[in-house]
Amino acid sequence: MSYLFADRADAGRMLAERIRVTGGLLPGSSAEQPLPLIVGLARGGVPVAREVAETFDAPLEVLVVRKLGAPGQPEYAMGAIAAGQVFVADDVPRRLGVSDRQLHEIVMREDALRIERETKYRQERQPYSFDGRFVVLVDDGIATGATMAVAARAVRAAGAAGIMIAVPTAPRDALRRFADDPDIDRVVAVDVPEPFSAVGFSYRDFGQVPDDDVVSCLRDR
């Protein structure tokens, strides 16, 4: 089997080059406009984002997206939370018989875990603000696009001035949906397989990223 990327770092370097040849990271830095903020979705997106941040000498941030699992059915997502923003899928809690109190408890639990993870990854550093910044959301790939969609909505709600979605690999239909979204300014991908099977099929090494590697990526930037 032929792989396009050796690992996530290799994918990040190729992604950075694709961003460069398709127009670079816009807007540029100025007294009024800070450098774009590169945001890696934990955990797999952070090593990819680190290479992008290094290439453009831009700051690197981490974002944890937590699923709001239904009571007794934790794999059934009622919504998600990211960057302190809560998104619930239509009337799913009501259809599942989940009370407002139960939903509130689930949100509080998942948000606490989100904050704990992000605090662990950042160590002593304070989080960057999204307010007024152009944000580049990076993951190691897109499958359904659900996690990236939540991340994009969260950073927009947190005040981002613009959003780019940048991934090494993704299915064409997911990229088209993001490109058609008026809240997304740019969509960049390196590999768009036809047919698309799974993100990992583009990588020779697609092992799980340990928490310590995430910490190291952020510390080095």
Side-chain angles (χ1 to χ4, degrees), residues 174-191:
L175 295 176
R176 188 177 299 116
R177 288 197 304 273
F178 285 120
D180 291 341
D181 187 333
D183 284 336
I184 306 299
D185 297 272
R186 289 186 63 198
V187 180
V188 178
V190 178
D191 185 31

Side-chain angles (χ1 to χ4, degrees), residues 18 25 58 83 93 114 123 185-186 189 197 200 210 217:
R18 180 58 58 88
L25 275 176
R114 176 192 69 82
Q123 301 290 290
D185 297 272
R186 289 186 63 198
S197 298
C217 286

Side-chain angles (χ1 to χ4, degrees), residues 17-154:
E17 181 60 21
R18 180 58 58 88
I19 293 170
R20 187 194 300 281
V21 301
T22 57
L25 275 176
L26 301 176
S29 179
S30 69
E32 295 77 27
Q33 178 65 57
L35 274 169
L37 180 61
I38 314 301
V39 179
L41 273 59
R43 289 176 288 187
V46 177
V48 182
R50 177 177 180 267
E51 299 298 327
V52 176
E54 283 201 343
T55 297
F56 293 98
D57 195 23
L60 175 63
E61 182 57 286
V62 61
L63 187 70
V64 173
V65 178
R66 295 289 303 181
K67 178 171 60 181
L68 303 176
Q73 305 176 68
E75 295 306 310
Y76 191 106
M78 299 184 294
I81 186 167
Q85 305 293 328
V86 180
F87 305 98
V88 178
D90 301 323
D91 64 343
V92 171
R94 182 187 60 78
R95 289 193 286 105
L96 294 177
V98 178
S99 68
D100 289 345
R101 179 177 178 178
Q102 285 177 302
L103 180 59
H104 177 74
E105 290 173 350
I106 292 168
V107 168
M108 291 299 100
R109 181 181 69 242
E110 293 304 324
D111 197 37
L113 289 170
R114 176 192 69 82
I115 293 170
E116 178 184 315
R117 285 277 181 88
E118 291 183 352
T119 301
K120 176 181 180 180
Y121 294 150
R122 294 189 188 103
Q123 301 290 290
E124 301 299 319
R125 180 180 63 76
Q126 291 299 307
Y128 287 101
S129 171
F130 297 126
D131 192 29
R133 297 195 81 139
F134 188 84
V135 174
V136 183
L137 290 172
V138 179
D139 206 351
D140 52 16
I142 288 175
T144 66
T147 298
M148 184 62 81
V150 169
R153 290 178 64 188

